[in-house]
Amino acid sequence: MADNYDVIVIGSGPGGYIAAIRAAQLGLKTAVVEREHLAGICSNWGCIPTKALLRSAEVLHLAEHAKNYGLKLEGSISPDLKAIVDRSRGIAQRMNGGVGFLMKKNKVDVIWGEAKLTKPGQIVVSKSTKKPMEPQAPLPKNTLGEGTYSAKHIIVATGARPRALPGIEPDGKLIWTYFEAMVPPEMPKSLLVMGSGAIGIEFASFYRTMGVDVTVVEVMPAVMPVEDAEISAFAKKQFEKQGMKIHLEAKVTKVEKGANSVTAHVEMKDGKVEKITADRMISAVGVQGNIENIGLEALGIKTDRGCIVIDGYGKTNVAGIYAIGDVAGPPMLAHKAEHEAVICVEKIAGLPNVHPMDKLKIPGCTYCNPQVASVGLTEARAKAEGKDIRVGRFPFVANGKAIALGEDQGMVKTIFDKKTGQLLGAHLVGAEVTELIQGFVVAMNLETTEEELMHTIFPHPTISETMKESVLDAYGRALNA
Ligand SMILES: Cc1cc2nc3c(=O)[nH]c(=O)nc-3n(C[C@H](O)[C@H](O)[C@H](O)COP(=O)(O)OP(=O)(O)OC[C@H]3O[C@@H](n4cnc5c(N)ncnc54)[C@H](O)[C@@H]3O)c2cc1C
């Protein structure tokens, strides 16, 4: 038997590596096992490389609209796909190198290979069945390998992978998952995106800005269906203005593959089937937890709908085994994984006053153009819960900074409890709202009321002023509209 640890974390994504660092900070002897890429999906195939691609799209968009800002750009502006993808991959590599550095700095052992739970307190690490991702920064010196390892506490942070619909499985060539969509060898002329959640709509936005003819098919009645209906409708209008075609309450039922194209049979809202042909298709119908082949069944660890069942502190039903991040269920977001990691480890270490996860306070951000960000209850959900509410709205067209930036398409919507004034939800669409939302997240965490927000001074000129105006509007006091 190899080394004995206090904590072993399986998976080095934002859940796993943050858990490992916090455990080490608390004086626990810690190791993290990884089979493919340090830093997980988030840094290598998710949050960060997509934002790099979207940044290229944003710069292209600005350059194309330079004359709106009084600038003449000589010559043609066109995307260099290879350079865009190389930039994104280089950033992913930098991120995984960063996590390697952090493991070393915090004296966390890295074990390279595929981990499986064999009994409480024990894992076996075997040779990985996955090809290590390239490019990847060099692994920390002294990285350990295959063997049996034991720990008092084992945290499963194995993440998730793309979900596939039967009969419409991605093949990596004509039907892509986010992996292939992130590294296109050439730009398709047309693209069909199945699913308009955050992943689908970010890729739709990227490819549309790159000049691709994009069609989105969404089975629900709104794009980004988890968002407030008004915000989704606002964003949809903007996407359509940019030339995106969007079919709601529509379902891809079958796909025929040609030599270099796909033809999707799409059952539309009215029941009629339309055939849509595109060069490539992205299947973005969600992700599912990596719960297979890690020994959960043998240990009797409970799962539900493809995820490990945990309590508010990451504990599973088996003593000494914990789960965090995507494998522990939705929302499947990096910051949720990180927060769960800290809660789980602090509870293991016996720290006082550890608060369980409150899922209502997890913000959600989508980095399409325009961006969308939210926290708390949507108007529909607040009403469904029987809450008596006040709703405030403020448009970007009435905000000086947004106008100066040439970004006047957006809005902020806030929802308050009528009786107590408690902020129940905030929903934003427009430029930079993924940065603005944190103001409302802090406010909600402090159980803010409308009065405290109204007493807060927002700097001028900033788009953040729309946040305050939205609060004022909920109480009939908006000043600039
Ligand atoms: C295209 C895309 C864009 C996204 N954008 C955002 C965003 O903007 N914001 C956001 O918050 N979230 C975003 N996400 C979601 C985010 O990436 C995930 O929520 C996050 O990575 C989950 O972290 P995790 O630690 O649970 O798992 P992961 O990051 O998936 O890491 C799990 C790790 O475990 C390893 N592993 C699995 N099984 C084993 C095993 N048996 N042995 C050893 N190692 C194993 C895997 O190789 C992997 O490295 C995006 C996802 C995608 C796909």
Side-chain angles (χ1 to χ4, degrees):
M1 172 108 55
D3 233 339
N4 220 326
Y5 292 93
D6 295 313
V7 175
I8 289 180
V9 191
I10 306 177
S12 71
Y17 91 79
I18 291 292
I21 291 175
R22 188 70 189 119
Q25 283 176 346
L26 292 169
L28 302 170
K29 186 168 159 38
T30 306
V32 65
V33 194
E34 176 55 55
R35 65 179 182 184
E36 201 177 352
H37 35 45
L38 281 181
I41 288 295
C42 173
S43 290
N44 293 291
W45 294 104
C47 327
I48 303 300
T50 48
K51 277 33 183 219
L53 295 179
L54 286 159
R55 176 69 170 159
S56 293
E58 191 183 338
V59 173
L60 175 66
H61 177 80
L62 275 177
E64 283 173 345
H65 293 81
K67 74 171 186 326
N68 296 351
Y69 299 88
L71 302 173
K72 269 190 200 157
L73 288 189
E74 305 293 342
S76 71
I77 302 148
S78 57
D80 174 348
L81 185 61
K82 185 175 177 318
I84 291 171
V85 170
D86 284 352
R87 175 176 181 273
S88 167
R89 298 321 299 155
I91 289 167
Q93 182 183 21
R94 192 165 146 189
M95 296 299 295
N96 69 48
V99 168
F101 164 80
L102 288 172
M103 295 301 97
K104 194 169 154 227
K105 182 182 165 211
N106 287 282
K107 300 191 172 49
V108 172
D109 284 349
V110 174
I111 305 170
W112 197 258
E114 192 131 350
K116 189 169 183 168
L117 292 155
T118 38
K119 57 180 179 184
Q122 191 184 80
I123 59 163
V124 167
V125 178
S126 52
K127 195 169 171 349
S128 175
T129 54
K130 302 267 180 191
K131 211 168 131 244
M133 192 198 70
E134 283 176 12
Q136 178 148 206
L139 292 173
K141 276 187 198 142
N142 310 326
T143 292
L144 301 165
E146 293 147 54
T148 302
Y149 296 87
S150 66
K152 286 189 207 86
H153 308 278
I154 297 175
I155 302 175
V156 181
T158 49
R161 63 182 183 279
R163 199 162 78 85
L165 295 183
I168 317 176
E169 288 87 0
D171 60 6
K173 290 194 172 74
L174 295 171
I175 308 180
W176 292 342
T177 65
Y178 50 78
F179 290 111
E180 294 83 23
M182 200 97 63
V183 288
E186 58 197 31
M187 198 61 92
K189 284 204 172 57
S190 52
L191 178 72
L192 180 73
V193 181
M194 177 170 66
S196 76
I199 293 177
I201 216 72
E202 284 187 5
F203 279 117
S205 201
F206 167 72
Y207 280 100
R208 181 65 208 120
T209 311
M210 290 288 144
V212 177
D213 180 6
V214 173
T215 304
V216 175
V217 176
E218 168 59 56
V219 75
M220 302 297 281
V223 289
M224 296 173 280
V226 298
E227 299 297 343
D228 186 275
E230 215 173 327
I231 299 293
S232 298
F234 189 104
K236 176 174 177 272
K237 249 191 211 157
Q238 298 301 315
F239 299 148
E240 285 172 335
K241 263 194 205 164
Q242 296 158 12
M244 220 185 266
K245 284 165 240 158
I246 300 174
H247 301 288
L248 300 178
E249 293 180 76
K251 204 163 128 189
V252 177
T253 53
K254 185 176 154 186
V255 175
E256 290 163 27
K257 291 187 200 171
N260 202 20
S261 66
V262 289
T263 298
H265 294 226
V266 182
E267 194 182 308
M268 298 293 178
K269 193 177 167 183
D270 59 8
K272 287 193 188 124
V273 175
E274 213 175 279
K275 287 186 187 179
I276 300 176
T277 299
D279 288 349
R280 296 291 179 272
M281 173 170 165
I282 298 179
S283 170
V285 291
V287 294
Q288 63 187 83
N290 291 325
I291 56 168
E292 299 82 2
N293 307 319
I294 49 173
L296 300 182
E297 305 81 4
L299 267 70
I301 296 169
K302 268 195 204 149
T303 60
D304 180 31
R305 279 163 284 173
C307 294
I308 299 174
V309 178
I310 56 166
D311 69 5
Y313 302 97
K315 272 191 194 171
T316 70
N317 60 313
V318 173
I321 314 273
Y322 312 79
I324 55 171
D326 283 4
V327 75
M332 296 191 177
L333 294 168
H335 43 279
K336 174 259 193 186
E338 292 180 7
H339 196 69
E340 271 179 347
V342 172
I343 290 173
C344 177
V345 170
E346 291 187 349
K347 195 76 178 167
I348 286 173
L351 260 56
N353 304 322
V354 181
H355 297 283
M357 176 59 102
D358 178 355
K359 288 198 172 179
L360 209 55
K361 296 196 181 121
I362 302 173
C365 294
T366 308
Y367 300 76
C368 42
N369 176 23
Q371 297 182 354
V372 170
S374 60
V375 63
L377 298 181
T378 60
E379 183 176 352
R381 186 155 158 214
K383 283 181 178 158
E385 287 185 10
K387 296 200 187 301
D388 202 3
I389 56 172
R390 293 189 84 116
V391 179
R393 297 175 182 81
F394 196 81
F396 278 26
V397 281
N399 174 266
K401 178 71 181 291
I403 296 169
L405 290 178
E407 299 284 2
D408 66 358
Q409 290 306 302
M411 71 174 279
V412 176
K413 176 171 176 179
T414 41
I415 298 164
F416 292 89
D417 185 298
K418 208 175 207 171
K419 265 187 231 106
T420 62
Q422 187 190 354
L423 176 65
L424 298 175
H427 307 274
L428 293 76
V429 56
E432 301 307 334
V433 298
T434 55
E435 296 290 341
L436 297 185
I437 189 69
Q438 194 54 17
F440 282 133
V441 179
V442 172
M444 271 184 82
N445 214 33
L446 298 174
E447 296 176 354
T448 298
T449 62
E450 90 289 1
E451 217 173 288
E452 287 155 330
L453 284 166
M454 287 182 196
H455 286 157
T456 304
I457 300 169
F458 286 68
H460 176 79
T462 60
I463 301 180
S464 75
E465 290 167 285
T466 58
M467 298 163 69
K468 182 163 176 178
E469 289 278 10
S470 167
V471 176
L472 291 169
D473 182 62
Y475 290 84
R477 290 176 46 184
L479 297 165
N480 284 287

